[in-house]
Amino acid sequence: MSDPATDFRRYLEPRTLARIGSLDLRARLIVEGLMAGMHRSPYHGISVEFAQHRQYVPGDDIRHVDWKVFAKTDKVYLKQYQEETNLHLICVVDASESMGYGSVGDGQASWSKYDHATAIAAALSYLVIRQQDSVGLAIFDNELRRYFKPSNSPGQWKTITHELLQVPRLKKTGTGRVLDQLAEKLTHRSLVVVLSDFFDDMDSVQQGLRHLRYRKHEVIAFQVLDPMEVEFPFQDVTLFKGLEEMGQLLTEPQSLRQGYLAELSAFTTQLKKMCRGVHIDFTQLNSGQPLDVALSGFLAVRAASIR
Amino acid sequence: MVMTFQPALAFALVSPLLFWAGAGLVSVPIVIHILNRRRFKVVPWAAMEFLLRAMKKNRRRLRFEQLLLLATRCLVLLLAGLALSRPLGCQDSSLADLAGRRTGLHVFVIGNGYSMAYQADRAGAKTHLDQAKIIAKALIQRLSSGGESVAIVTASSPPVQIVSSPIYDLKAAEDAVNRIEQSYGATDEAGALALARDIARREPVNSNKTLYLIDDSTRVAWQTQGEVIGQLGRELAGLYKSGITHFNLGKPGQWNQAVVDLAPADSLVTSRFPANMVADVRGYGPCPTEPRMVLKLDGVALAPGVMNVRATAAASPQTITVNGLTPGIHVFTASLFSDNRLPIDDVRYRAVNVVGQIKVLIVEGERGVGGQGSSGAFLDAALNPSGYAASNDSKSAGYVATERISDLEWGDKVLSDYRCVCLCGVGQIQETQAAQLEQFVREGGTVMVFMGDPVTAENYNATLYKHHLLPGPLTKRIVVSGDQTPRRFDFDPHRPLNRLLADFQNQEQTGMDSAEVYSYWQMDLPADSPAERVLNFLPAAGTPNQPEDPAITVHSLGAGQVVFYATSADPNAEWTTFMPHPAYPALMHMLLLGTTRGNDSWMNVLVNHSLRVPPSIRWTAAPVLKDGNQTEYPMELETVTDATSVYFGQSQYASKPLAKPGVYSLSTGADNYKIAVNVPAAQEADVRTLDDTEVRKSLGDVEIDMQGDSVPAPALEAEQGKDLGWGVMVVVLALLAMECFMAMRFGHHWRK
């Protein structure tokens, strides 16, 4: 009997798979749409699928004029095509100490933010591999701990989930620096999905994300938070011991709740604003909520925005 | 310019212990706060940065909120203790006036003796009592419901607290005042004040107490038992710290005329002789006119009909001679016709037992030869001269039925069958016989003790004197020898004579002064003896300064009387030559009539007293007592508990106290008795009032607020102490609400 804590299958919730399994077509479309957005070739070549018309402007290549439309409308339009290319998905998972916090469940069955991030990474990886695209993995804390370059081999998914399970969550966070590193490392345009709580210096995170965007990578940011972090429901006098050497605080949580939530909200707003500014999709996920709902919701929204 | 400061809030605490308890409990929130800081959960926390930032931004505000909550909780406990300790605001504190709710005990002593029935003609109040009720109710209506309690005492004898304990239901207190009835009894001001004192003593020491005295301030009510009332006044001033207020309802110049007494002049009324009925009519205050009076016998006016009488404050007896009385119980009624404002005491009743014949038992100690030789024969002839030559002296007209026996036959006789027992030279008296005689006298009989040769000091002192049948011990038999001057009575008809010798006043040739006495028994009569010296012996010749020995004495014993006659009643004994004198029979009759009682005193009762029927009255059926309206009053058997009563330990029938005057009838089965119930006019008829100074002096010169006879202005009660407890409790509740709101606001009661 395998250890539940180290069994990758815990990340393959049948419900989750069922939910997103039906999305694989959509996903592909979405991914492909995404790819179309990201990887759209500046030159539309042959053997590509027709995508849409564009009005002719002087200087365009007349080889792509749709003469049938001209015949019908006396207006000149160009055809545009989608290029089928391989999607490179990189799951960048924060494995710092703060990601190890989890209040959902208890004991061996506890569910931390890292578990949630890992589940998301596993689901997305599974999706991409099924559509015969490539998926890679980067695990980091205060530095890049593991990197697996994208591959669409059948064993890649297992490798990814296995690696995710092995990493201890003991170190502090260095998100910005790692993203910088990753931006330099990636040779191919990729879809980079960052799974973190982003409890780090905002400027450095911003710099890292911008660097990725500069490199023409598509970035999706998933901020994973624990329900306790979101609601702060503590009532009795509590000694909060900060992870990642953040000190400790003895206080009456009720009196501090509003202030804490205001700070968290301000941080998240700033993060969201920053992501929007560099065209990064930002989603906040609650590790206490069902993954399938959150993930399918995100994919559906994204698909709608692509169309 | 001098500045003075009034205390903004001055108060005293009814229960200081509760306040200190509250003060001590103030430490509880602080202790809880400290303990809470020691007991905490430990939570590893990832989002520490936000927490620290929040703490940094809100540190001051958080500290302030915590301190504010802590202070509020401490204050709630402190004020709760203060509220429960019932702070009472003092007189001059404006804040106390504003915030306080009055509390305290208010005791009303309301006079309702019959003098309060005086018709003072006030608007809306016919009598003093009506006005007293109006004032009392007006004061009660101004009291604070729920905080102030009321006790009510009525001053008519016996004084009564008409609700068993002070009541907070002010409506019920007003109803109780309404139910106060006009009593026909006298005022017992001292008793009522004592009740008020006892009520105050039962209340907590620190509570406010106010006393209201509402009466007509008659001098007879306030100055009788003056010392007692003065002492009570000082005690009351110490107990009723919130003050004593007196409402004087007496009108200056109020006056009254009343029949304060009606009684026969003689202790015995017989059908053989005219009876003198004496009515004591008094007038008090500035009486504008003299009253008129009529005397009735069993409801029929007697001659001379309505007559003018003098009515003064001093005794002014009016004597009416009544002829033609028949034996039996009769009721005399004296009614005044007067414009006085207190008609209650204008009528007086007297039940009189008119005796047809007086049965006298003569016990002889010596039997002589023939009917006249015994020691009691001459007395027998004197009292009952039938068989002798008829006499014009009405007193010897055969109203006495004598029975003469030897002392050996004494034991066969029931003494209560007789009105008088005469011992004529009886020698050895047994202890049981003496006891029997004492009982007889105490129950109303008369004993006349005559000396004789068989009498010995040893025996008489050991028996008769022991049983109070002699006023003093016999000491020595005085015997005048042949060559000595015989003794004589100290009698001068022109000097004031004892009442029993009144008929001899100014009478010459009675023989009282010339009778010779050769032998008599000397008695050691103390100077302060209550015995009446009817007649004395002159001292022996040549010893003018010697004290006079008593010749005839009369003393009371219980309901009866005892006559001691120091010499012999037997002319054969050669003790005295008095017997043949014409004064002798008259004297015997006068002694008999003057000491024999009609035994009708129990038929004359004062209002608010019970009718107690002597056990000697024979019953053949359950007693039935009814008034003039045929209303029945139950009679119950009770054991006589008065140790001084001759009937001590025996059972007798008694009624509840009779509240109204009038003529009642008592049926015993075989006999019917008339019962006269009268108002205590002697105690209450004098309606002359005291002024405020005199009332204050009567109460021991204590501080009293003297008011007139009208409803007081509202400002009167402004000086009452106010209970701030309710105000403080409102503040506590407000603080509690504020604490809840703050706790909620500060996030201390957040729930998902």
Side-chain angles (χ1 to χ4, degrees):
Chain A
M1 184 82 80
S2 58
D3 182 0
T6 55
D7 187 352
F8 64 88
R9 283 187 283 256
R10 73 197 286 245
Y11 298 117
L12 276 177
E13 276 275 333
R15 194 176 69 191
T16 308
L17 291 180
R19 200 81 179 231
I20 65 172
S22 63
L23 293 172
D24 63 349
L25 183 62
R26 245 187 349 224
R28 181 162 46 229
L29 283 175
I30 288 169
V31 172
E32 287 169 351
L34 181 105
M35 296 303 106
M38 186 180 70
H39 296 293
R40 190 176 68 180
S41 170
Y43 302 106
H44 289 279
I46 58 173
S47 301
V48 295
E49 222 174 294
F50 169 76
Q52 62 188 16
H53 288 101
R54 180 173 65 83
Q55 198 160 15
Y56 172 82
V57 292
D60 284 334
D61 189 349
I62 60 170
R63 286 184 294 169
H64 299 293
V65 172
D66 193 339
W67 297 111
K68 284 184 184 170
V69 171
F70 177 71
K72 285 182 185 170
T73 62
D74 279 338
K75 290 183 181 173
V76 184
Y77 284 92
L78 296 180
K79 288 183 187 174
Q80 289 194 308
Y81 303 93
Q82 290 178 355
E83 182 182 355
E84 285 188 11
T85 60
N86 266 357
L87 168 66
H88 287 251
L89 172 69
I90 308 289
C91 291
V92 183
V93 181
D94 185 348
S96 63
E97 193 181 9
S98 65
M99 286 295 286
Y101 178 79
S103 65
V104 182
D106 55 332
Q108 291 271 339
S110 67
W111 187 258
S112 66
K113 290 189 289 185
Y114 182 78
D115 292 326
H116 206 71
T118 301
I120 296 170
L124 289 175
S125 303
Y126 182 81
L127 198 68
V128 167
I129 286 176
R130 263 185 50 173
Q131 60 194 53
Q132 292 164 358
D133 284 321
S134 303
V135 61
L137 175 68
I139 303 175
F140 72 96
D141 44 41
N142 59 351
E143 57 187 41
L144 188 60
R145 291 288 165 191
R146 294 271 199 280
Y147 175 72
F148 295 90
K149 64 180 184 180
S151 165
N152 61 0
S153 68
Q156 180 71 343
W157 188 85
K158 202 169 173 185
T159 303
I160 287 172
T161 51
H162 180 74
E163 286 304 318
L164 284 169
L165 283 171
Q166 301 306 313
V167 177
R169 297 168 290 280
L170 301 171
K171 303 284 187 192
K172 294 170 78 166
T173 311
T175 313
R177 192 170 65 245
V178 168
L179 292 178
D180 271 334
Q181 219 175 327
L182 207 54
E184 293 298 324
K185 210 174 182 73
L186 292 172
T187 53
H188 200 276
R189 277 191 201 162
S190 304
L191 172 61
V192 178
V193 176
V194 181
L195 297 150
S196 172
D197 54 14
F198 294 100
F199 287 169
D200 199 358
D201 175 55
M202 184 66 69
D203 291 335
S204 114
V205 169
Q206 184 176 17
Q207 189 183 328
L209 290 172
R210 277 192 168 157
H211 195 170
L212 281 169
R213 287 294 296 130
Y214 178 73
R215 290 290 193 162
K216 303 281 194 263
H217 299 295
E218 182 79 11
V219 180
I220 299 174
F222 283 105
Q223 185 188 30
V224 183
L225 295 178
D226 187 84
M228 289 292 198
E229 290 169 343
V230 173
E231 292 168 9
F232 202 69
F234 304 99
Q235 294 176 36
D236 300 327
V237 177
T238 307
L239 177 66
F240 292 96
K241 282 197 153 174
L243 301 175
E244 299 183 18
E245 297 171 12
M246 288 295 286
Q248 58 187 32
L249 178 67
L250 176 66
T251 186
E252 288 183 24
Q254 307 102 305
S255 57
L256 218 48
R257 183 172 176 270
Q258 295 298 330
Y260 161 81
L261 291 177
E263 290 296 326
L264 181 64
S265 171
F267 172 78
T268 306
T269 304
Q270 190 185 3
L271 187 60
K272 217 183 274 185
K273 191 175 172 188
M274 183 266 289
C275 289
R276 209 179 316 126
V278 291
H279 303 290
I280 294 175
D281 272 352
F282 175 86
T283 301
Q284 192 182 76
L285 293 176
N286 188 324
S287 66
Q289 289 177 357
L291 177 60
D292 56 336
V293 173
L295 195 54
S296 62
F298 166 74
L299 292 174
V301 168
R302 185 146 174 86
S305 67
I306 287 170
R307 288 201 191 99
Chain B
M1 183 173 74
V2 174
M3 293 181 72
T4 55
F5 293 91
Q6 292 287 354
L9 183 65
F11 60 85
L13 301 175
V14 174
S15 309
L17 214 63
L18 286 167
F19 170 71
W20 291 118
L25 286 174
V26 164
S27 61
V28 168
I30 298 170
V31 168
I32 291 173
H33 178 75
I34 293 170
L35 285 176
N36 273 347
R37 303 299 280 185
R38 290 171 181 263
R39 299 186 313 176
F40 49 82
K41 291 195 306 190
V42 178
V43 172
W45 188 245
M48 198 64 187
E49 189 184 340
F50 309 111
L51 212 52
L52 290 172
R53 269 194 233 156
M55 174 57 95
K56 192 177 173 186
K57 276 189 185 171
N58 296 287
R59 187 185 301 275
R60 268 194 184 173
R61 178 184 62 81
L62 288 173
R63 185 167 289 175
F64 172 74
E65 286 173 1
Q66 280 195 349
L67 284 173
L68 186 63
L69 268 177
L70 185 64
T72 305
R73 286 163 182 164
C74 291
L75 195 59
V76 162
L77 286 168
L78 181 69
L79 290 181
L82 180 64
L84 289 173
S85 69
R86 294 195 52 204
L88 299 179
C90 296
Q91 207 163 309
D92 295 325
S93 61
S94 55
L95 271 182
D97 276 347
L98 278 173
R101 184 167 174 234
R102 292 200 305 273
T103 187
L105 171 65
H106 298 262
V107 177
F108 293 82
V109 175
I110 300 175
N112 67 331
Y114 88 71
S115 67
M116 290 288 282
Y118 191 92
Q119 295 165 11
D121 281 344
R122 293 181 180 91
K126 189 178 177 191
T127 67
H128 285 331
L129 181 62
D130 294 336
Q131 184 66 8
K133 289 182 181 181
I134 289 172
I135 292 173
K137 286 191 291 184
L139 290 170
I140 291 171
Q141 282 163 8
R142 289 179 193 165
L143 298 180
S144 181
S145 181
E148 297 181 293
S149 60
V150 171
I152 302 169
V153 174
T154 52
S156 166
S157 177
V160 172
Q161 182 179 349
I162 61 175
V163 286
S164 57
S165 57
I167 54 175
Y168 287 87
D169 184 347
L170 299 183
K171 182 70 179 62
E174 278 186 62
D175 292 342
V177 170
N178 279 332
R179 287 195 302 270
I180 295 175
E181 289 187 353
Q182 176 62 66
S183 166
Y184 291 93
T187 302
D188 182 1
E189 196 67 36
L193 293 178
L195 267 185
R197 174 200 59 195
D198 296 341
I199 292 169
R201 280 179 178 168
R202 285 195 291 268
E203 291 294 304
V205 171
N206 289 336
S207 61
N208 294 323
K209 302 185 194 83
T210 310
L211 178 63
Y212 303 94
L213 307 174
I214 310 174
D215 54 67
D216 55 357
S217 310
T218 57
R219 61 182 65 221
V220 70
W222 281 89
Q223 291 182 337
T224 310
Q225 290 189 294
E227 277 188 26
V228 173
I229 290 179
Q231 175 60 30
L232 281 167
R234 285 183 283 277
E235 287 184 72
L236 291 169
L239 290 166
Y240 288 91
K241 292 257 171 28
S242 295
I244 301 175
T245 303
H246 180 256
F247 291 89
N248 191 346
L249 301 183
K251 293 279 193 191
Q254 62 183 32
W255 61 277
N256 185 33
Q257 291 164 338
V259 184
V260 301
D261 196 17
L262 176 66
D266 303 315
S267 59
L268 182 71
V269 176
T270 75
S271 58
R272 300 304 176 106
F273 306 112
N276 290 324
M277 291 300 294
V278 181
D280 188 358
V281 180
R282 306 280 184 107
Y284 302 101
C287 305
T289 56
E290 295 290 359
R292 294 179 303 155
M293 188 186 78
V294 67
L295 185 67
K296 296 179 182 175
L297 172 63
D298 297 331
V300 177
L302 295 171
V306 179
M307 57 189 172
N308 294 321
V309 292
R310 283 191 65 236
T312 64
S316 39
Q318 314 288 326
T319 304
I320 301 104
T321 302
V322 183
N323 294 300
L325 290 168
T326 55
I329 297 168
H330 300 276
V331 174
F332 289 88
T333 306
S335 304
L336 277 190
F337 297 95
S338 166
D339 293 332
N340 72 74
R341 299 302 189 94
L342 191 60
I344 283 179
D345 50 16
D346 290 352
V347 179
R348 197 154 193 92
Y349 310 96
R350 180 79 189 195
V352 176
N353 185 17
V354 178
V355 174
Q357 204 170 48
I358 300 176
K359 287 182 72 177
V360 177
L361 179 67
I362 300 174
V363 182
E364 300 175 310
E366 291 174 292
R367 280 294 202 183
V369 176
Q372 301 306 313
S374 54
S375 56
F378 207 83
L379 177 63
D380 188 357
L383 290 175
N384 186 7
S386 62
Y388 288 83
S391 165
N392 288 329
D393 185 350
S394 61
K395 284 204 190 299
S396 59
Y399 71 96
V400 180
T402 54
E403 184 178 341
R404 190 151 43 99
I405 61 170
S406 143
D407 58 351
L408 299 172
E409 299 167 274
W410 187 352
D412 301 331
K413 296 298 177 184
V414 177
L415 297 185
S416 57
D417 288 342
Y418 305 92
R419 286 206 179 262
C420 179
V421 174
C422 299
L423 304 178
C424 297
V426 176
Q428 292 298 309
I429 294 182
Q430 306 300 318
E431 165 66 24
T432 51
Q433 290 168 331
Q436 198 183 10
L437 280 174
E438 181 187 359
Q439 172 94 7
F440 168 71
V441 173
R442 287 189 181 277
E443 289 180 1
T446 299
V447 165
M448 298 172 75
V449 182
F450 295 86
M451 299 293 103
D453 288 332
V455 173
T456 64
E458 293 78 14
N459 175 252
Y460 270 45
N461 291 343
T463 54
L464 295 184
Y465 178 61
K466 178 187 165 190
H467 286 275
H468 315 289
L469 294 163
L470 289 178
L474 298 179
T475 52
K476 184 170 87 170
R477 179 176 168 183
I478 303 295
V479 179
V480 177
S481 58
D483 56 346
Q484 288 175 319
T485 308
R487 311 293 281 272
R488 294 185 199 280
F489 295 120
D490 180 9
F491 178 83
D492 182 352
H494 302 295
R495 266 194 349 226
L497 298 174
N498 183 274
R499 61 178 177 92
L500 293 174
L501 304 178
D503 282 0
F504 294 125
Q505 193 74 52
N506 299 318
Q507 297 288 325
E508 303 283 354
Q509 308 293 326
T510 61
M512 293 280 289
D513 50 349
S514 58
E516 293 173 346
V517 178
Y518 301 106
S519 183
Y520 68 87
W521 268 99
Q522 203 177 40
M523 174 185 282
D524 183 12
L525 190 64
D528 58 351
S529 168
E532 203 179 340
R533 283 178 180 243
V534 178
L535 193 64
N536 294 322
F537 291 112
L538 286 168
T543 61
N545 294 326
Q546 284 290 332
E548 294 184 351
D549 291 327
I552 302 174
T553 65
V554 172
H555 70 274
S556 296
L557 179 62
Q561 293 203 299
V562 179
V563 178
F564 168 72
Y565 192 84
T567 185
S568 175
D570 182 8
N572 299 318
E574 296 179 351
W575 281 46
T576 176
T577 61
F578 181 47
M579 276 71 84
H581 287 277
Y584 179 78
L587 176 62
M588 294 302 114
H589 279 278
M590 280 192 276
L591 288 175
L592 180 65
L593 285 171
T595 57
T596 307
R597 304 275 171 85
N599 289 339
D600 52 17
S601 59
W602 66 273
M603 301 177 208
N604 292 280
V605 181
L606 287 178
V607 158
N608 289 342
H609 287 73
S610 297
L611 171 66
R612 289 193 162 83
V613 183
S616 55
I617 300 296
R618 295 196 182 92
W619 304 88
T620 57
V624 176
L625 178 67
K626 292 181 181 176
D627 64 10
N629 294 326
Q630 299 304 302
T631 304
E632 195 171 323
Y633 295 79
M635 301 286 291
E636 290 175 359
L637 267 177
E638 66 176 27
T639 303
V640 179
T641 55
D642 181 6
T644 62
S645 168
V646 67
Y647 304 118
F648 176 65
Q650 296 183 46
S651 295
Q652 68 180 38
Y653 276 101
S655 71
K656 293 273 188 297
L658 300 172
K660 290 190 178 161
V663 178
Y664 295 62
S665 64
L666 175 72
S667 168
T668 61
D671 295 312
N672 289 302
Y673 294 85
K674 298 271 177 62
I675 309 297
V677 180
N678 286 296
V679 295
Q683 291 100 324
E684 194 75 0
D686 187 353
V687 298
R688 289 174 294 182
T689 60
L690 299 177
D691 61 25
D692 290 349
T693 307
E694 289 167 315
V695 170
R696 184 180 279 115
K697 193 173 172 191
S698 297
L699 274 173
D701 273 318
V702 296
E703 188 65 37
I704 306 174
D705 180 18
M706 307 302 287
Q707 294 288 324
D709 64 347
S710 50
V711 178
L716 179 68
E717 74 280 11
E719 296 178 355
Q720 304 298 327
K722 297 196 177 19
D723 184 0
L724 302 176
W726 291 109
V728 174
M729 192 54 83
V730 168
V731 172
V732 168
L733 291 173
L735 279 175
L736 271 174
M738 200 169 92
E739 191 272 347
C740 291
F741 175 75
M742 285 195 300
M744 190 177 67
R745 192 84 178 89
F746 300 159
H748 284 249
H749 298 289
W750 175 77
R751 290 285 183 271
K752 267 195 194 174

